[in-house]
């Protein structure tokens, strides 16, 4: 994710990540209805709806599909690797007693950190949204790994909040494009102090 | 009844999509909000499903509905005066926001609380955006991104708490009973995440970056709602989690974090106040100061005092933002340097702004003086000096620009019409003054009893 230059590839990667997360939820479900429903909801909202919405957004914006970064790709990869390492290191102290899938906890923490790196180091507004979504997936993975998953109606509420946030961000990106003729957040710096 | 209370604000929100006359929308919003106020009083201590209305929830529900009704009344005159055809956007987003607030105050399930707090962020982003424009867009974008990341970190805290309780319950009451069984170190870690997450929304330093931008770029009635009600909802979540930590016997751990975050925000806001050229940003930094003070009071182990502080702050700050809206209507500029001579040309407009800012600076007989004095008495010696330093610097930072604006040279280009422009902040000030003279300490203490923990 940190090394990719094409936005389309990133969105496909995000969709794939969600399909895998959904499958993980199914595996962990052990036939319990609650998890199967949560997994299905996840697949539908995050694996299908959000990626489709993002593709449509990119198409209608008519901007280059290239990821622009403050950092060069090698530096990004290096930093990403470092953060993943930090995630694994710190993640161990996050493993709680009775965690369902202790191995996944450091992965989740690493994903959260990488999402943050992505948000702060990329210029385009769309890529910041992708960073946020990666972070959100990390949080979801953490919930799967530490507990039996949050209660179903909470899980669905959280996913709906994420979906609403992405739609709202999409509308804002359109307006940003109309107003500034670009979606480079680095060049939005009217407000200070 | 609780579900009715929850869904009531959706009525005007949906109505705004069809009917776009501000007059009707304002009356309907006022009606729905104040009817909820009465319903809330009747529904105290009721429970159904994941909803329950206890003392703390009721306290903030009443405060929010009271303020929201008045702001709706003001908004009608404000948008009429500024010849804004898009006033319905404010009423639609505002009522959606009120729905999320109701949800948060009614939710007794910590997960549901999180969902509604995030919902209030999304709805208030619409309030900030209003009609758009380059500056509003930048502010909204910043708010949405920072707010979402902050609250996602808060969700990590919620998940950790849930895992520590063995994945059995997220009900606040049950969680408090179970909390003693959880590992102390890891519950502390969860609290750190919750403090950072909800603290971003409370506007604690250094997580406050969104706050001045959003407050200054939103239309003034929306800024009043942000400062008077939105900051409270995140603070309310902190109240609940601090009580949770308290019943696990870990209050000392939370206290240190809360006190230091509170004091740092106070001192930072005190400094930022001096650098401001825009009077709405000035008020925004004053919100940061007072939320820092409220968090500090919570860190002293006095939830009732923290609640009282947010009560006085909400009343006075709403009045101040509405007063600032009047000045913006008159001068069509947010720059302090452009405003002058209000007192000669428009005494009523000058008085409401002046009194609100005097109250916010902590002068008696307004209630913030009482709350700050109580907090000072309860402070540890090392904190007292810092606390006073912060108060003095905020006092000077707030009142120096104020004297320039009210008494400095300048002429009023245009005097806004509309009675509610002065009447609404006047009512808020009168209530603030009355409660300042007779602080409802016993009542708030009774309401805060659900938060009590044994040390």
């Amino acid at each position: 994710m940190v090394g990719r230059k094409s936005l389309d590839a990133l969105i496909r990667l995000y969709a794939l990540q969600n399909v895998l997360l959904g499958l993980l939820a199914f595996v962990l479900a052990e036939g319990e209805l609650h998890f199967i429903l949560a997994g299905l909801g996840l697949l539908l909202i995050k694996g299908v709806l959000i990626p489709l919405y993002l593709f449509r957004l990119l198409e209608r914006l008519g901007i280059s599909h290239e990821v622009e970064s403050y950092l060069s790709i090698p530096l990004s990869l290096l930093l990403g690797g470092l953060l993943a390492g930090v995630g694994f290191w710190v993640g161990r102290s996050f493993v709680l007693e009775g965690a369902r899938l202790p191995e996944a906890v450091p992965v989740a923490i690493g994903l959260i950190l990488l999402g943050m790196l992505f948000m702060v180091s990329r210029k385009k507004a769309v890529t910041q949204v992708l960073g946020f979504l990666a972070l959100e997936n990390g949080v979801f993975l953490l919930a799967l790994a530490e507990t039996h998953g949050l209660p179903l109606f909470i899980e669905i509420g959280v996913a709906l909040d994420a979906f609403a946030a992405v739609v709202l961000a999409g509308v804002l990106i359109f307006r940003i494009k109309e107003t500034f003729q670009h979606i480079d957040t680095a060049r939005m710096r009217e407000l200070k102090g | 009844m609780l579900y009715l209370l929850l869904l009531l604000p959706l009525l005007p929100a949906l109505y705004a999509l069809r009917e776009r006359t501000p007059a009707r929308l304002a009356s309907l919003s006022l009606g729905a909000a104040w009817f909820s106020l009465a319903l809330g009083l009747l529904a105290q201590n009721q429970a159904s499903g994941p909803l329950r209305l206890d003392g703390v929830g009721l306290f903030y529900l009443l405060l929010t509905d009271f303020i929201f009704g008045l702001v709706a009344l003001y908004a009608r005159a404000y948008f009429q005066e500024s010849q804004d055809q898009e006033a319905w956007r404010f009423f639609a987003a505002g009522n959606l926001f009120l729905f999320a607030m109701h949800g948060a105050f009614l939710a007794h399930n910590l997960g549901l609380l999180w969902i509604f707090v995030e919902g209030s962020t999304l709805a208030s982003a619409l309030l900030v955006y209003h009609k758009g424009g380059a500056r509003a867009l930048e502010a909204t974008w910043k708010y949405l991104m920072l707010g979402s990341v902050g609250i996602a970190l808060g969700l990590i805290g919620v998940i950790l708490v849930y895992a520590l309780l063995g994945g059995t319950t997220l009900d606040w009451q049950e969680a408090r009973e179970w909390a003693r069984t959880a590992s102390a170190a890891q519950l502390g870690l969860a609290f750190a995440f919750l403090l950072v997450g909800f603290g971003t929304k409370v506007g604690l330093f250094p997580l406050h970056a969104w706050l001045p931008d959003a407050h200054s770029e939103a239309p003034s009635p929306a800024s009043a709602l942000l400062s008077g009600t939105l900051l409270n909802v995140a603070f309310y979540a902190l109240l609940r989690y601090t009580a949770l930590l308290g019943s696990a016997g870990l209050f000392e751990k939370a206290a240190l974090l809360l006190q230091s975050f509170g004091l740092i925000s106070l001192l930072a806001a005190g400094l930022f106040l001096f650098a401001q050229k825009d009077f709405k940003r000035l008020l925004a930094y004053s919100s940061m100061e007072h939320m820092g003070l409220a968090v500090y009071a919570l860190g002293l182990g006095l939830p009732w005092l923290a609640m009282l502080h947010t009560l006085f702050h909400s009343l006075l700050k709403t009045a101040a933002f509405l007063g600032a809206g009047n000045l913006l209507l008159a001068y069509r500029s947010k720059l302090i340097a452009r405003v002058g001579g209000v007192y000669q040309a428009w005494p009523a407009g000058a008085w409401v702004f002046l009194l609100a800012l005097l109250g916010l600076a902590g002068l008696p007989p307004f209630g913030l003086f009482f709350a700050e004095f109580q907090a000072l008495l309860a402070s540890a010696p090392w904190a007292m000096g810092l606390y006073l330093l912060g108060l003095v610097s905020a006092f000077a930072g707030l009142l120096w620009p104020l004297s320039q604006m009210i008494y400095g040279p300048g002429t009023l280009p245009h005097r806004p019409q509309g009675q509610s422009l002065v009447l609404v902040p006047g009512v808020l000030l009168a209530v603030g003054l009355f409660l300042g003279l007779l602080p409802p300490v016993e009542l708030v203490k009774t309401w805060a009893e659900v938060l009590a923990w044994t040390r």
Side-chain angles (χ1 to χ4, degrees), chain A residues 133-172:
Chain A
L133 286 170
L135 192 162
E136 227 260 321
N137 270 355
V139 176
F140 180 81
L141 182 61
L142 186 71
L144 271 185
E146 294 276 22
T147 73
H148 293 240
L150 291 171
L152 180 61
F153 75 109
I154 303 292
E155 202 85 86
I156 289 176
V158 171
L160 282 180
D161 265 346
F163 185 60
V166 172
V167 171
L168 188 59
V171 174
L172 285 178

Side-chain angles (χ1 to χ4, degrees), chain A residues 93-97 112 116 119 125 128-129 132 135-136 139 142-143 146-147 149-151 153-154 157-158 161 164-165 168-169 172-173 175-176 179-180 185 188-193, chain B residues 50 109 111-112 114-115 118-119 122 125-126 129 133-135 137-142 144-145 148-149 152-153 155-156 159-160 162-164 170 186 189 193 213 217 272 276 281 285:
Chain A
S93 59
F94 277 76
V95 182
L96 306 179
E97 214 176 302
I112 291 167
M116 283 184 176
M119 284 189 82
Q128 291 180 354
V129 175
F132 170 69
L135 192 162
E136 227 260 321
V139 176
L142 186 71
E146 294 276 22
T147 73
L150 291 171
F153 75 109
I154 303 292
V158 171
D161 265 346
L168 188 59
L172 285 178
I173 292 174
R175 299 277 176 253
I176 292 174
T179 314
F180 297 88
T185 49
M188 284 165 59
R189 36 181 67 241
E190 270 283 306
L191 308 175
K192 274 186 206 154
Chain B
N109 177 300
L112 203 59
W114 184 91
I115 291 172
E118 165 73 357
L122 298 177
L126 291 175
Y129 176 72
R135 294 170 64 92
L137 263 174
E138 187 183 331
T140 315
W141 186 257
K142 217 167 168 182
L144 190 65
M145 285 298 123
S148 301
V149 172
L153 294 180
L155 184 60
I156 298 180
I159 290 168
L160 291 178
Y162 184 60
L164 284 168
L170 271 174
Q186 289 172 329
L189 180 72
F193 272 97
D213 293 353
E217 297 312 320
F272 279 123
Q276 298 313 312
R281 289 183 87 85
Y285 280 110

Side-chain angles (χ1 to χ4, degrees), chain B residues 180-394:
Chain B
R180 274 194 188 278
T181 61
S183 132
Q186 289 172 329
L187 204 55
L189 180 72
F191 185 76
F193 272 97
L194 291 161
L195 184 61
V196 169
F198 290 110
T200 307
K201 235 184 128 170
V202 174
L204 294 180
F205 184 83
L207 312 159
H208 68 283
W210 65 273
L211 189 145
D213 293 353
H215 280 69
S216 116
E217 297 312 320
S220 298
S223 322
L225 285 183
L226 291 183
S227 210
T229 61
L230 172 87
L231 302 181
N232 284 350
V233 77
F235 182 71
Y236 162 84
L238 283 183
L239 273 176
R240 293 249 183 238
Y241 281 107
T242 306
L244 181 69
L245 236 70
S247 40
L250 296 173
F251 177 71
E252 300 309 320
K253 220 170 198 168
L256 188 66
L257 279 173
L258 290 168
Q259 286 189 22
S260 9
F261 260 107
L263 279 179
I264 292 170
S265 303
L266 167 69
L267 292 168
L271 288 178
F272 279 123
L273 280 171
F274 286 96
Q276 298 313 312
K277 297 189 177 71
D278 168 337
F279 57 81
K280 282 181 81 179
R281 289 183 87 85
L282 192 75
L283 293 180
Y285 280 110
S286 149
S287 292
M288 185 174 148
E289 176 214 339
H290 283 290
M291 292 323 280
L293 288 173
V295 167
Y296 177 77
L298 180 59
L300 292 176
L302 303 169
W304 65 271
L305 185 61
M307 284 161 70
L308 211 57
H309 198 107
T310 54
L311 165 73
F312 293 134
H313 170 250
S314 292
L315 292 170
L316 292 173
K317 186 52 67 58
T318 309
F321 266 116
L322 299 183
N326 290 343
L327 297 182
L328 186 57
L329 285 176
Y331 289 86
R332 304 198 191 288
S333 166
K334 282 184 285 191
L335 292 179
I336 293 168
R338 291 271 177 81
V339 178
V342 191
Y343 191 73
Q344 282 94 31
W346 191 21
W351 271 114
V352 286
F353 192 64
L354 179 69
L355 287 178
L357 263 74
L358 288 180
L360 287 170
L363 285 184
F366 287 101
L368 286 172
F369 174 76
F370 171 80
E372 285 164 5
F373 190 65
Q374 293 288 324
L376 196 60
L377 287 184
S379 292
W382 65 270
M384 260 185 202
L386 291 174
Y387 192 90
L388 276 176
L389 182 68
L391 282 189
V392 169
S393 117

